[in-house]
Amino acid sequence: NAGVTQTPKFQVLKTGQSMTLQCAQDMNHNSMYWYRQDPGMGLRLIYYSASEGTTDKGEVPNGYNVSRLNKREFSLRLESAAPSQTSVYFCASSEQRESDTQYFGPGTRLTVL
Amino acid sequence: DQQVKQNSPSLSVQEGRISILNCDYTNSMFDYFLWYKKYPAEGPTFLISISSIKDKNEDGRFTVFLNKSAKHLSLHIVPSQPGDSAVYFCAASNFGNEKLTFGTGTRLTIIP
């Protein structure tokens, strides 16, 4: 089992460019999440999906969109990147019926110039 | 409004001694607490959790203590090993509401 995988690992964008961060999990989990991690801020929830076909905003959703393509895949899109979106992005998944434990991918380091 | 607080950004401990990482929370609805460990350039990995019906949970060298009246939890690592050097995040949830609230993390350095 690969667990949670994310692509790409690194990305540099110019202000105004768009991109999609991909996430996939092979644990048959219902719930998936996108977080960003910034120095001194911990992990902040951007969006989450409790099940295929549903998505909800987290703490910091502005400037992002998400798609729960199927049970395995949950993508995060930046339509017009801004320097404030420079961060490390983590995807996670969990099986809510068992516990609130979330399992994380390795992260995508994004720099917006 | 930081609902989960880790007031020590860093902690240094000698190898073999006990490491104690602390976490405070303000939301009395939280009833499930977790600790995650994060190495550089990797995602956080789950370490140990505790439900509010318990006040202690052990897993090998790791023990989490929960003091509900003080809204405080702590992670004890004993004995500390060099591989324990990492950033530790505590997180809390109202079980079943699908979201975790994370603290800002404590960087633990184990000195050989």
Side-chain angles (χ1 to χ4, degrees):
Chain A
N1 283 355
V4 180
T5 57
Q6 293 183 235
T7 55
K9 290 192 188 318
F10 302 94
Q11 184 71 48
V12 178
L13 293 178
K14 294 181 179 178
T15 296
Q17 287 185 316
S18 62
M19 79 161 295
T20 300
L21 283 66
Q22 306 286 354
C23 174
Q25 52 92 9
D26 62 3
M27 296 176 281
N28 202 35
H29 286 167
N30 283 310
S31 300
M32 297 185 73
Y33 311 81
W34 277 105
Y35 291 89
R36 59 179 288 173
Q37 185 198 3
D38 302 293
M41 302 291 286
L43 289 141
R44 293 184 292 170
L45 183 64
I46 304 171
Y47 270 94
Y48 69 102
S49 169
S51 62
E52 185 179 350
T54 68
T55 61
D56 282 289
K57 295 179 180 179
E59 183 184 353
V60 288
N62 290 347
Y64 305 95
N65 286 302
V66 290
S67 295
R68 182 74 183 267
L69 304 170
N70 47 56
K71 191 171 185 179
R72 289 188 65 247
E73 298 172 291
F74 189 36
S75 62
L76 179 72
R77 182 159 178 85
L78 288 70
E79 291 290 353
S80 178
S84 61
Q85 294 178 304
T86 293
S87 188
V88 182
Y89 292 86
F90 291 102
C91 177
S93 70
S94 71
E95 181 47 66
Q96 287 299 320
R97 283 189 290 274
E98 295 175 1
S99 74
D100 281 350
T101 303
Q102 295 179 15
Y103 299 89
F104 285 80
T108 294
R109 184 174 294 274
L110 175 67
T111 301
V112 183
L113 302 174
Chain B
D1 177 24
Q2 192 75 27
Q3 296 187 66
V4 178
K5 301 178 185 179
Q6 294 177 257
N7 292 319
S8 298
S10 62
L11 175 68
S12 294
V13 174
Q14 285 219 296
E15 182 178 358
R17 306 294 290 267
I18 184 170
S19 296
I20 300 176
L21 293 90
N22 294 304
C23 180
D24 297 294
Y25 62 97
T26 58
N27 187 340
S28 59
M29 298 299 291
F30 288 148
D31 57 9
Y32 190 68
F33 304 90
L34 308 90
W35 285 94
Y36 282 83
K37 176 179 179 178
K38 186 183 179 306
Y39 291 122
E42 294 184 11
T45 55
F46 170 71
L47 194 56
I48 192 169
S49 62
I50 188 167
S51 161
S52 61
I53 62 173
K54 296 184 176 181
D55 53 19
K56 177 182 173 181
N57 189 28
E58 286 182 84
D59 184 1
R61 297 185 299 114
F62 302 92
T63 303
V64 57
F65 295 92
L66 175 62
N67 182 333
K68 290 185 289 293
S69 61
K71 294 191 178 66
H72 176 83
L73 64 155
S74 60
L75 174 68
H76 292 210
I77 306 173
V78 68
S80 299
Q81 299 175 354
D84 296 331
S85 293
V87 176
Y88 290 79
F89 291 99
C90 68
S93 75
N94 181 2
F95 182 72
N97 84 347
E98 300 161 346
K99 291 187 283 187
L100 293 179
T101 301
F102 282 85
T104 52
T106 296
R107 181 178 301 278
L108 175 65
T109 302
I110 305 302
I111 304 163

